Amino acid sequence: MEGESLTVPCHYEPQYASYIKYWCRGKTREFCSSLARTDESHSVNPSEKKVRLFDDPVQQVFTVAMNNLREEDSGWYMCGVEIGGLWSADVVTYKNIKVIHGMTVENSRLSGEEGSSVTVECQYSERYRESEKKWCRSGDWSSCLLAGSEGSNDSSVYIKDDRSGSFTITFKKLQMRDTGWYWCSAGLQKMPVHVQVKPRPMTTAVSVTSQPQTVANPLPPKPITKESWSGHNFSHVLGSLLVCGSVILVGLAIVVRKWWKRHKDPVLRQLNGMNARRNEYSDVSCDLQNATVVFLNKDSQHVHMC
């Protein structure tokens, strides 16, 4: 920016630490106007010089400082190491410097969370140091806020101009309605700035009772004694034995039934034979008091025999 200073670092290889360094204006060595050299006398006060050069052989870099820049200082410059000799070319590198007159903004697009704060820095050239500074919302002239040497306050925006080449605009607490385009001005110069406000993240509300609730201390667990363990264990064992016994009885009944079905036919044939022999002596009377009664399968027609 016009009226400000500029610093340019020029690096070189370690073998050139003791060589002469220079800074000149131009794009070719033959037509480059020398502005500063490490071997020139320092009779003039360095603070009064337009260009100053400082060499640091330890870090292998020499620094060029240009003060009080003007628009006419824009152009190509060269930092070089003088090698010397007819057949040896200097080691050089080129820099292009542009000094602007007017205004510029450090960051033309800003964003912040709702409730937070952001700051805009608008820089201006020297000739606008005494000019009126403004911050306006684009399309709304009634929203313009003026900045003075001591600054001015607003409900949500603070503007201050220290007249050193820039003035700042600070949004204290961003709101969603602050999103939009703005512009800062110095004299007739204007620069656009866009502000984006992001919504605050949602938080989960936690309800709190008005009165503290007391929680009674639970009774300590009853210690397990040998007697309680034995009674408890015995009841479980007895129940398990009953269940197992019932299962065994059902299983035995099923086995006996299958065995009976397999062997009942020969038994019936044997009984029928006995019945036939009894019938041969049917005239013999039976002694009912001493008789033996045999109950057969329900499918048999013989109920008893003497």
Side-chain angles (χ1 to χ4, degrees), residues 44-80:
V44 182
N45 187 356
S47 61
E48 298 177 358
K49 295 187 63 176
K50 175 79 172 181
V51 181
R52 291 176 294 168
L53 190 151
F54 308 93
D55 186 18
D56 186 355
V58 178
Q59 299 294 330
Q60 292 96 48
V61 59
F62 67 94
T63 305
V64 178
M66 300 182 67
N67 303 318
N68 194 19
L69 292 170
R70 300 295 179 207
E71 279 189 295
E72 54 268 21
D73 292 328
S74 299
W76 285 96
Y77 290 82
M78 180 190 301
C79 55

PDB file of all heavy atoms in Angstrom, residues 44-80:
ATOM      1  N   VAL A  44      25.263   8.112   5.206  1.00  0.00           N
ATOM      2  CA  VAL A  44      23.909   8.639   5.380  1.00  0.00           C
ATOM      3  C   VAL A  44      23.214   7.868   6.483  1.00  0.00           C
ATOM      4  O   VAL A  44      23.400   6.655   6.626  1.00  0.00           O
ATOM      5  CB  VAL A  44      23.118   8.549   4.054  1.00  0.00           C
ATOM      6  CG1 VAL A  44      21.720   9.134   4.232  1.00  0.00           C
ATOM      7  CG2 VAL A  44      23.887   9.259   2.949  1.00  0.00           C
ATOM      8  N   ASN A  45      22.364   8.559   7.271  1.00  0.00           N
ATOM      9  CA  ASN A  45      21.595   7.921   8.344  1.00  0.00           C
ATOM     10  C   ASN A  45      20.682   6.855   7.738  1.00  0.00           C
ATOM     11  O   ASN A  45      19.877   7.170   6.850  1.00  0.00           O
ATOM     12  CB  ASN A  45      20.779   8.971   9.095  1.00  0.00           C
ATOM     13  CG  ASN A  45      20.096   8.387  10.331  1.00  0.00           C
ATOM     14  OD1 ASN A  45      20.167   7.184  10.587  1.00  0.00           O
ATOM     15  ND2 ASN A  45      19.444   9.257  11.083  1.00  0.00           N
ATOM     16  N   PRO A  46      20.801   5.579   8.177  1.00  0.00           N
ATOM     17  CA  PRO A  46      19.983   4.520   7.576  1.00  0.00           C
ATOM     18  C   PRO A  46      18.495   4.792   7.648  1.00  0.00           C
ATOM     19  O   PRO A  46      17.746   4.410   6.746  1.00  0.00           O
ATOM     20  CB  PRO A  46      20.356   3.277   8.396  1.00  0.00           C
ATOM     21  CG  PRO A  46      21.712   3.581   8.944  1.00  0.00           C
ATOM     22  CD  PRO A  46      21.724   5.059   9.191  1.00  0.00           C
ATOM     23  N   SER A  47      18.020   5.446   8.715  1.00  0.00           N
ATOM     24  CA  SER A  47      16.583   5.709   8.852  1.00  0.00           C
ATOM     25  C   SER A  47      16.078   6.704   7.811  1.00  0.00           C
ATOM     26  O   SER A  47      14.886   6.765   7.539  1.00  0.00           O
ATOM     27  CB  SER A  47      16.271   6.223  10.259  1.00  0.00           C
ATOM     28  OG  SER A  47      16.966   7.440  10.513  1.00  0.00           O
ATOM     29  N   GLU A  48      16.992   7.490   7.232  1.00  0.00           N
ATOM     30  CA  GLU A  48      16.592   8.480   6.226  1.00  0.00           C
ATOM     31  C   GLU A  48      16.698   7.941   4.806  1.00  0.00           C
ATOM     32  O   GLU A  48      16.282   8.617   3.860  1.00  0.00           O
ATOM     33  CB  GLU A  48      17.467   9.733   6.372  1.00  0.00           C
ATOM     34  CG  GLU A  48      17.318  10.429   7.716  1.00  0.00           C
ATOM     35  CD  GLU A  48      18.244  11.612   7.848  1.00  0.00           C
ATOM     36  OE1 GLU A  48      19.025  11.841   6.875  1.00  0.00           O
ATOM     37  OE2 GLU A  48      18.209  12.298   8.873  1.00  0.00           O
ATOM     38  N   LYS A  49      17.233   6.776   4.642  1.00  0.00           N
ATOM     39  CA  LYS A  49      17.405   6.214   3.296  1.00  0.00           C
ATOM     40  C   LYS A  49      16.112   5.574   2.806  1.00  0.00           C
ATOM     41  O   LYS A  49      15.330   5.031   3.579  1.00  0.00           O
ATOM     42  CB  LYS A  49      18.530   5.191   3.292  1.00  0.00           C
ATOM     43  CG  LYS A  49      19.905   5.773   3.581  1.00  0.00           C
ATOM     44  CD  LYS A  49      20.977   4.734   3.385  1.00  0.00           C
ATOM     45  CE  LYS A  49      21.035   4.253   1.949  1.00  0.00           C
ATOM     46  NZ  LYS A  49      22.139   3.308   1.716  1.00  0.00           N
ATOM     47  N   LYS A  50      15.904   5.644   1.528  1.00  0.00           N
ATOM     48  CA  LYS A  50      14.731   5.028   0.907  1.00  0.00           C
ATOM     49  C   LYS A  50      14.845   3.518   0.921  1.00  0.00           C
ATOM     50  O   LYS A  50      13.864   2.803   1.150  1.00  0.00           O
ATOM     51  CB  LYS A  50      14.617   5.544  -0.533  1.00  0.00           C
ATOM     52  CG  LYS A  50      13.529   4.920  -1.360  1.00  0.00           C
ATOM     53  CD  LYS A  50      12.169   5.511  -1.054  1.00  0.00           C
ATOM     54  CE  LYS A  50      11.120   5.010  -2.022  1.00  0.00           C
ATOM     55  NZ  LYS A  50       9.795   5.594  -1.769  1.00  0.00           N
ATOM     56  N   VAL A  51      16.083   3.016   0.653  1.00  0.00           N
ATOM     57  CA  VAL A  51      16.326   1.577   0.598  1.00  0.00           C
ATOM     58  C   VAL A  51      17.473   1.219   1.523  1.00  0.00           C
ATOM     59  O   VAL A  51      18.518   1.899   1.507  1.00  0.00           O
ATOM     60  CB  VAL A  51      16.630   1.109  -0.845  1.00  0.00           C
ATOM     61  CG1 VAL A  51      16.856  -0.392  -0.874  1.00  0.00           C
ATOM     62  CG2 VAL A  51      15.517   1.518  -1.790  1.00  0.00           C
ATOM     63  N   ARG A  52      17.296   0.141   2.300  1.00  0.00           N
ATOM     64  CA  ARG A  52      18.361  -0.341   3.186  1.00  0.00           C
ATOM     65  C   ARG A  52      18.581  -1.825   2.945  1.00  0.00           C
ATOM     66  O   ARG A  52      17.615  -2.549   2.621  1.00  0.00           O
ATOM     67  CB  ARG A  52      17.988  -0.096   4.653  1.00  0.00           C
ATOM     68  CG  ARG A  52      17.982   1.373   5.048  1.00  0.00           C
ATOM     69  CD  ARG A  52      17.519   1.561   6.483  1.00  0.00           C
ATOM     70  NE  ARG A  52      16.117   1.177   6.625  1.00  0.00           N
ATOM     71  CZ  ARG A  52      15.517   1.016   7.816  1.00  0.00           C
ATOM     72  NH1 ARG A  52      16.219   1.142   8.933  1.00  0.00           N
ATOM     73  NH2 ARG A  52      14.239   0.704   7.860  1.00  0.00           N
ATOM     74  N   LEU A  53      19.833  -2.258   3.111  1.00  0.00           N
ATOM     75  CA  LEU A  53      20.188  -3.653   2.865  1.00  0.00           C
ATOM     76  C   LEU A  53      20.979  -4.192   4.060  1.00  0.00           C
ATOM     77  O   LEU A  53      21.927  -3.558   4.507  1.00  0.00           O
ATOM     78  CB  LEU A  53      20.999  -3.765   1.573  1.00  0.00           C
ATOM     79  CG  LEU A  53      21.267  -5.168   1.008  1.00  0.00           C
ATOM     80  CD1 LEU A  53      21.408  -5.101  -0.516  1.00  0.00           C
ATOM     81  CD2 LEU A  53      22.536  -5.765   1.602  1.00  0.00           C
ATOM     82  N   PHE A  54      20.596  -5.403   4.534  1.00  0.00           N
ATOM     83  CA  PHE A  54      21.259  -6.043   5.673  1.00  0.00           C
ATOM     84  C   PHE A  54      21.625  -7.474   5.292  1.00  0.00           C
ATOM     85  O   PHE A  54      20.759  -8.232   4.831  1.00  0.00           O
ATOM     86  CB  PHE A  54      20.342  -6.053   6.901  1.00  0.00           C
ATOM     87  CG  PHE A  54      19.771  -4.705   7.260  1.00  0.00           C
ATOM     88  CD1 PHE A  54      18.532  -4.316   6.779  1.00  0.00           C
ATOM     89  CD2 PHE A  54      20.488  -3.822   8.051  1.00  0.00           C
ATOM     90  CE1 PHE A  54      18.004  -3.079   7.102  1.00  0.00           C
ATOM     91  CE2 PHE A  54      19.963  -2.584   8.372  1.00  0.00           C
ATOM     92  CZ  PHE A  54      18.718  -2.206   7.901  1.00  0.00           C
ATOM     93  N   ASP A  55      22.893  -7.819   5.497  1.00  0.00           N
ATOM     94  CA  ASP A  55      23.367  -9.157   5.128  1.00  0.00           C
ATOM     95  C   ASP A  55      23.603  -9.987   6.391  1.00  0.00           C
ATOM     96  O   ASP A  55      24.182  -9.514   7.376  1.00  0.00           O
ATOM     97  CB  ASP A  55      24.662  -9.048   4.325  1.00  0.00           C
ATOM     98  CG  ASP A  55      25.108 -10.410   3.790  1.00  0.00           C
ATOM     99  OD1 ASP A  55      24.262 -11.339   3.741  1.00  0.00           O
ATOM    100  OD2 ASP A  55      26.295 -10.543   3.450  1.00  0.00           O
ATOM    101  N   ASP A  56      23.154 -11.259   6.350  1.00  0.00           N
ATOM    102  CA  ASP A  56      23.357 -12.193   7.456  1.00  0.00           C
ATOM    103  C   ASP A  56      24.033 -13.443   6.888  1.00  0.00           C
ATOM    104  O   ASP A  56      23.360 -14.375   6.432  1.00  0.00           O
ATOM    105  CB  ASP A  56      22.023 -12.551   8.107  1.00  0.00           C
ATOM    106  CG  ASP A  56      22.190 -13.412   9.355  1.00  0.00           C
ATOM    107  OD1 ASP A  56      23.333 -13.808   9.667  1.00  0.00           O
ATOM    108  OD2 ASP A  56      21.167 -13.707  10.015  1.00  0.00           O
ATOM    109  N   PRO A  57      25.391 -13.490   6.906  1.00  0.00           N
ATOM    110  CA  PRO A  57      26.098 -14.645   6.327  1.00  0.00           C
ATOM    111  C   PRO A  57      25.817 -15.943   7.066  1.00  0.00           C
ATOM    112  O   PRO A  57      25.923 -17.025   6.469  1.00  0.00           O
ATOM    113  CB  PRO A  57      27.584 -14.240   6.457  1.00  0.00           C
ATOM    114  CG  PRO A  57      27.583 -12.766   6.642  1.00  0.00           C
ATOM    115  CD  PRO A  57      26.324 -12.446   7.380  1.00  0.00           C
ATOM    116  N   VAL A  58      25.488 -15.873   8.340  1.00  0.00           N
ATOM    117  CA  VAL A  58      25.209 -17.098   9.092  1.00  0.00           C
ATOM    118  C   VAL A  58      23.951 -17.785   8.558  1.00  0.00           C
ATOM    119  O   VAL A  58      23.911 -18.999   8.351  1.00  0.00           O
ATOM    120  CB  VAL A  58      25.075 -16.788  10.598  1.00  0.00           C
ATOM    121  CG1 VAL A  58      24.724 -18.058  11.377  1.00  0.00           C
ATOM    122  CG2 VAL A  58      26.365 -16.173  11.124  1.00  0.00           C
ATOM    123  N   GLN A  59      22.894 -17.012   8.327  1.00  0.00           N
ATOM    124  CA  GLN A  59      21.640 -17.573   7.806  1.00  0.00           C
ATOM    125  C   GLN A  59      21.609 -17.617   6.277  1.00  0.00           C
ATOM    126  O   GLN A  59      20.633 -18.101   5.702  1.00  0.00           O
ATOM    127  CB  GLN A  59      20.456 -16.733   8.313  1.00  0.00           C
ATOM    128  CG  GLN A  59      20.310 -16.693   9.828  1.00  0.00           C
ATOM    129  CD  GLN A  59      19.963 -18.035  10.408  1.00  0.00           C
ATOM    130  OE1 GLN A  59      19.309 -18.859   9.768  1.00  0.00           O
ATOM    131  NE2 GLN A  59      20.415 -18.278  11.634  1.00  0.00           N
ATOM    132  N   GLN A  60      22.662 -17.119   5.622  1.00  0.00           N
ATOM    133  CA  GLN A  60      22.751 -17.050   4.163  1.00  0.00           C
ATOM    134  C   GLN A  60      21.534 -16.322   3.553  1.00  0.00           C
ATOM    135  O   GLN A  60      20.835 -16.836   2.665  1.00  0.00           O
ATOM    136  CB  GLN A  60      22.867 -18.444   3.535  1.00  0.00           C
ATOM    137  CG  GLN A  60      24.175 -19.158   3.821  1.00  0.00           C
ATOM    138  CD  GLN A  60      24.071 -20.103   5.005  1.00  0.00           C
ATOM    139  OE1 GLN A  60      23.143 -20.894   5.093  1.00  0.00           O
ATOM    140  NE2 GLN A  60      25.030 -20.031   5.913  1.00  0.00           N
ATOM    141  N   VAL A  61      21.282 -15.116   4.028  1.00  0.00           N
ATOM    142  CA  VAL A  61      20.188 -14.312   3.491  1.00  0.00           C
ATOM    143  C   VAL A  61      20.526 -12.834   3.704  1.00  0.00           C
ATOM    144  O   VAL A  61      21.106 -12.450   4.719  1.00  0.00           O
ATOM    145  CB  VAL A  61      18.842 -14.664   4.188  1.00  0.00           C
ATOM    146  CG1 VAL A  61      18.925 -14.428   5.690  1.00  0.00           C
ATOM    147  CG2 VAL A  61      17.688 -13.886   3.575  1.00  0.00           C
ATOM    148  N   PHE A  62      20.207 -12.010   2.707  1.00  0.00           N
ATOM    149  CA  PHE A  62      20.292 -10.568   2.914  1.00  0.00           C
ATOM    150  C   PHE A  62      18.898  -9.979   2.685  1.00  0.00           C
ATOM    151  O   PHE A  62      18.133 -10.443   1.836  1.00  0.00           O
ATOM    152  CB  PHE A  62      21.364  -9.910   2.035  1.00  0.00           C
ATOM    153  CG  PHE A  62      21.096  -9.927   0.565  1.00  0.00           C
ATOM    154  CD1 PHE A  62      20.471  -8.861  -0.062  1.00  0.00           C
ATOM    155  CD2 PHE A  62      21.497 -11.016  -0.217  1.00  0.00           C
ATOM    156  CE1 PHE A  62      20.248  -8.864  -1.428  1.00  0.00           C
ATOM    157  CE2 PHE A  62      21.273 -11.026  -1.588  1.00  0.00           C
ATOM    158  CZ  PHE A  62      20.644  -9.947  -2.191  1.00  0.00           C
ATOM    159  N   THR A  63      18.579  -8.969   3.494  1.00  0.00           N
ATOM    160  CA  THR A  63      17.229  -8.407   3.536  1.00  0.00           C
ATOM    161  C   THR A  63      17.241  -6.988   3.002  1.00  0.00           C
ATOM    162  O   THR A  63      18.115  -6.176   3.352  1.00  0.00           O
ATOM    163  CB  THR A  63      16.680  -8.422   4.976  1.00  0.00           C
ATOM    164  OG1 THR A  63      16.757  -9.749   5.498  1.00  0.00           O
ATOM    165  CG2 THR A  63      15.236  -7.966   5.019  1.00  0.00           C
ATOM    166  N   VAL A  64      16.243  -6.677   2.157  1.00  0.00           N
ATOM    167  CA  VAL A  64      16.083  -5.348   1.586  1.00  0.00           C
ATOM    168  C   VAL A  64      14.827  -4.721   2.178  1.00  0.00           C
ATOM    169  O   VAL A  64      13.757  -5.345   2.184  1.00  0.00           O
ATOM    170  CB  VAL A  64      15.970  -5.405   0.053  1.00  0.00           C
ATOM    171  CG1 VAL A  64      15.765  -4.002  -0.516  1.00  0.00           C
ATOM    172  CG2 VAL A  64      17.197  -6.066  -0.546  1.00  0.00           C
ATOM    173  N   ALA A  65      14.936  -3.515   2.696  1.00  0.00           N
ATOM    174  CA  ALA A  65      13.801  -2.776   3.261  1.00  0.00           C
ATOM    175  C   ALA A  65      13.597  -1.495   2.460  1.00  0.00           C
ATOM    176  O   ALA A  65      14.531  -0.694   2.306  1.00  0.00           O
ATOM    177  CB  ALA A  65      14.043  -2.460   4.732  1.00  0.00           C
ATOM    178  N   MET A  66      12.370  -1.294   1.940  1.00  0.00           N
ATOM    179  CA  MET A  66      12.007  -0.090   1.190  1.00  0.00           C
ATOM    180  C   MET A  66      10.957   0.670   1.999  1.00  0.00           C
ATOM    181  O   MET A  66       9.953   0.099   2.426  1.00  0.00           O
ATOM    182  CB  MET A  66      11.455  -0.460  -0.190  1.00  0.00           C
ATOM    183  CG  MET A  66      12.446  -1.223  -1.056  1.00  0.00           C
ATOM    184  SD  MET A  66      11.788  -1.606  -2.691  1.00  0.00           S
ATOM    185  CE  MET A  66      11.670   0.033  -3.394  1.00  0.00           C
ATOM    186  N   ASN A  67      11.201   1.966   2.202  1.00  0.00           N
ATOM    187  CA  ASN A  67      10.337   2.793   3.045  1.00  0.00           C
ATOM    188  C   ASN A  67       9.540   3.790   2.211  1.00  0.00           C
ATOM    189  O   ASN A  67       9.929   4.175   1.113  1.00  0.00           O
ATOM    190  CB  ASN A  67      11.185   3.564   4.072  1.00  0.00           C
ATOM    191  CG  ASN A  67      12.037   2.628   4.933  1.00  0.00           C
ATOM    192  OD1 ASN A  67      11.566   1.580   5.375  1.00  0.00           O
ATOM    193  ND2 ASN A  67      13.301   3.011   5.140  1.00  0.00           N
ATOM    194  N   ASN A  68       8.393   4.191   2.803  1.00  0.00           N
ATOM    195  CA  ASN A  68       7.569   5.262   2.232  1.00  0.00           C
ATOM    196  C   ASN A  68       7.322   5.047   0.733  1.00  0.00           C
ATOM    197  O   ASN A  68       7.689   5.877  -0.116  1.00  0.00           O
ATOM    198  CB  ASN A  68       8.235   6.621   2.475  1.00  0.00           C
ATOM    199  CG  ASN A  68       7.291   7.778   2.209  1.00  0.00           C
ATOM    200  OD1 ASN A  68       6.066   7.596   2.192  1.00  0.00           O
ATOM    201  ND2 ASN A  68       7.852   8.962   1.988  1.00  0.00           N
ATOM    202  N   LEU A  69       6.715   3.927   0.412  1.00  0.00           N
ATOM    203  CA  LEU A  69       6.491   3.549  -0.979  1.00  0.00           C
ATOM    204  C   LEU A  69       5.502   4.483  -1.674  1.00  0.00           C
ATOM    205  O   LEU A  69       4.549   4.971  -1.067  1.00  0.00           O
ATOM    206  CB  LEU A  69       5.978   2.111  -1.045  1.00  0.00           C
ATOM    207  CG  LEU A  69       6.973   1.017  -0.627  1.00  0.00           C
ATOM    208  CD1 LEU A  69       6.267  -0.322  -0.514  1.00  0.00           C
ATOM    209  CD2 LEU A  69       8.121   0.935  -1.617  1.00  0.00           C
ATOM    210  N   ARG A  70       5.737   4.685  -2.967  1.00  0.00           N
ATOM    211  CA  ARG A  70       4.842   5.471  -3.823  1.00  0.00           C
ATOM    212  C   ARG A  70       4.436   4.630  -5.021  1.00  0.00           C
ATOM    213  O   ARG A  70       5.052   3.616  -5.321  1.00  0.00           O
ATOM    214  CB  ARG A  70       5.561   6.740  -4.296  1.00  0.00           C
ATOM    215  CG  ARG A  70       6.014   7.669  -3.186  1.00  0.00           C
ATOM    216  CD  ARG A  70       4.838   8.242  -2.439  1.00  0.00           C
ATOM    217  NE  ARG A  70       5.267   9.125  -1.354  1.00  0.00           N
ATOM    218  CZ  ARG A  70       4.555   9.346  -0.261  1.00  0.00           C
ATOM    219  NH1 ARG A  70       3.409   8.709  -0.105  1.00  0.00           N
ATOM    220  NH2 ARG A  70       4.990  10.181   0.660  1.00  0.00           N
ATOM    221  N   GLU A  71       3.386   5.100  -5.691  1.00  0.00           N
ATOM    222  CA  GLU A  71       2.910   4.348  -6.863  1.00  0.00           C
ATOM    223  C   GLU A  71       4.000   4.222  -7.916  1.00  0.00           C
ATOM    224  O   GLU A  71       4.110   3.203  -8.600  1.00  0.00           O
ATOM    225  CB  GLU A  71       1.674   5.029  -7.461  1.00  0.00           C
ATOM    226  CG  GLU A  71       0.382   4.703  -6.733  1.00  0.00           C
ATOM    227  CD  GLU A  71      -0.837   5.216  -7.487  1.00  0.00           C
ATOM    228  OE1 GLU A  71      -0.966   6.450  -7.622  1.00  0.00           O
ATOM    229  OE2 GLU A  71      -1.639   4.389  -7.945  1.00  0.00           O
ATOM    230  N   GLU A  72       4.833   5.257  -8.042  1.00  0.00           N
ATOM    231  CA  GLU A  72       5.884   5.215  -9.058  1.00  0.00           C
ATOM    232  C   GLU A  72       7.004   4.235  -8.712  1.00  0.00           C
ATOM    233  O   GLU A  72       7.873   3.965  -9.549  1.00  0.00           O
ATOM    234  CB  GLU A  72       6.485   6.619  -9.262  1.00  0.00           C
ATOM    235  CG  GLU A  72       6.989   7.284  -8.011  1.00  0.00           C
ATOM    236  CD  GLU A  72       5.953   8.158  -7.324  1.00  0.00           C
ATOM    237  OE1 GLU A  72       4.744   7.949  -7.580  1.00  0.00           O
ATOM    238  OE2 GLU A  72       6.357   9.040  -6.549  1.00  0.00           O
ATOM    239  N   ASP A  73       6.987   3.701  -7.499  1.00  0.00           N
ATOM    240  CA  ASP A  73       7.986   2.696  -7.131  1.00  0.00           C
ATOM    241  C   ASP A  73       7.634   1.301  -7.656  1.00  0.00           C
ATOM    242  O   ASP A  73       8.417   0.357  -7.488  1.00  0.00           O
ATOM    243  CB  ASP A  73       8.126   2.620  -5.602  1.00  0.00           C
ATOM    244  CG  ASP A  73       8.745   3.890  -5.013  1.00  0.00           C
ATOM    245  OD1 ASP A  73       9.576   4.506  -5.715  1.00  0.00           O
ATOM    246  OD2 ASP A  73       8.400   4.252  -3.876  1.00  0.00           O
ATOM    247  N   SER A  74       6.476   1.149  -8.259  1.00  0.00           N
ATOM    248  CA  SER A  74       6.075  -0.159  -8.802  1.00  0.00           C
ATOM    249  C   SER A  74       6.994  -0.539  -9.951  1.00  0.00           C
ATOM    250  O   SER A  74       7.424   0.313 -10.742  1.00  0.00           O
ATOM    251  CB  SER A  74       4.621  -0.100  -9.292  1.00  0.00           C
ATOM    252  OG  SER A  74       3.738   0.202  -8.224  1.00  0.00           O
ATOM    253  N   GLY A  75       7.332  -1.847 -10.062  1.00  0.00           N
ATOM    254  CA  GLY A  75       8.169  -2.323 -11.157  1.00  0.00           C
ATOM    255  C   GLY A  75       8.983  -3.542 -10.762  1.00  0.00           C
ATOM    256  O   GLY A  75       8.786  -4.141  -9.694  1.00  0.00           O
ATOM    257  N   TRP A  76       9.921  -3.930 -11.669  1.00  0.00           N
ATOM    258  CA  TRP A  76      10.792  -5.091 -11.454  1.00  0.00           C
ATOM    259  C   TRP A  76      12.059  -4.676 -10.719  1.00  0.00           C
ATOM    260  O   TRP A  76      12.646  -3.635 -11.003  1.00  0.00           O
ATOM    261  CB  TRP A  76      11.176  -5.727 -12.790  1.00  0.00           C
ATOM    262  CG  TRP A  76      10.053  -6.515 -13.388  1.00  0.00           C
ATOM    263  CD1 TRP A  76       9.171  -6.094 -14.321  1.00  0.00           C
ATOM    264  CD2 TRP A  76       9.703  -7.858 -13.065  1.00  0.00           C
ATOM    265  NE1 TRP A  76       8.271  -7.079 -14.623  1.00  0.00           N
ATOM    266  CE2 TRP A  76       8.583  -8.191 -13.862  1.00  0.00           C
ATOM    267  CE3 TRP A  76      10.208  -8.816 -12.208  1.00  0.00           C
ATOM    268  CZ2 TRP A  76       7.969  -9.430 -13.813  1.00  0.00           C
ATOM    269  CZ3 TRP A  76       9.600 -10.065 -12.151  1.00  0.00           C
ATOM    270  CH2 TRP A  76       8.496 -10.356 -12.939  1.00  0.00           C
ATOM    271  N   TYR A  77      12.443  -5.554  -9.780  1.00  0.00           N
ATOM    272  CA  TYR A  77      13.672  -5.346  -9.009  1.00  0.00           C
ATOM    273  C   TYR A  77      14.485  -6.641  -9.026  1.00  0.00           C
ATOM    274  O   TYR A  77      13.984  -7.709  -9.370  1.00  0.00           O
ATOM    275  CB  TYR A  77      13.349  -4.954  -7.561  1.00  0.00           C
ATOM    276  CG  TYR A  77      12.752  -3.556  -7.431  1.00  0.00           C
ATOM    277  CD1 TYR A  77      11.393  -3.334  -7.659  1.00  0.00           C
ATOM    278  CD2 TYR A  77      13.544  -2.489  -7.072  1.00  0.00           C
ATOM    279  CE1 TYR A  77      10.847  -2.076  -7.532  1.00  0.00           C
ATOM    280  CE2 TYR A  77      13.010  -1.204  -6.929  1.00  0.00           C
ATOM    281  CZ  TYR A  77      11.651  -1.020  -7.167  1.00  0.00           C
ATOM    282  OH  TYR A  77      11.126   0.251  -7.050  1.00  0.00           O
ATOM    283  N   MET A  78      15.770  -6.497  -8.670  1.00  0.00           N
ATOM    284  CA  MET A  78      16.669  -7.641  -8.716  1.00  0.00           C
ATOM    285  C   MET A  78      17.520  -7.663  -7.451  1.00  0.00           C
ATOM    286  O   MET A  78      18.116  -6.650  -7.077  1.00  0.00           O
ATOM    287  CB  MET A  78      17.578  -7.555  -9.955  1.00  0.00           C
ATOM    288  CG  MET A  78      18.561  -8.712 -10.096  1.00  0.00           C
ATOM    289  SD  MET A  78      19.768  -8.356 -11.425  1.00  0.00           S
ATOM    290  CE  MET A  78      18.678  -8.131 -12.833  1.00  0.00           C
ATOM    291  N   CYS A  79      17.582  -8.822  -6.786  1.00  0.00           N
ATOM    292  CA  CYS A  79      18.542  -9.021  -5.708  1.00  0.00           C
ATOM    293  C   CYS A  79      19.582 -10.011  -6.222  1.00  0.00           C
ATOM    294  O   CYS A  79      19.224 -11.036  -6.809  1.00  0.00           O
ATOM    295  CB  CYS A  79      17.883  -9.510  -4.421  1.00  0.00           C
ATOM    296  SG  CYS A  79      16.892 -11.000  -4.525  1.00  0.00           S
ATOM    297  N   GLY A  80      20.879  -9.679  -6.066  1.00  0.00           N
ATOM    298  CA  GLY A  80      21.914 -10.505  -6.667  1.00  0.00           C
ATOM    299  C   GLY A  80      23.181 -10.577  -5.840  1.00  0.00           C
ATOM    300  O   GLY A  80      23.400  -9.792  -4.918  1.00  0.00           O
TER     301      GLY A  80
END
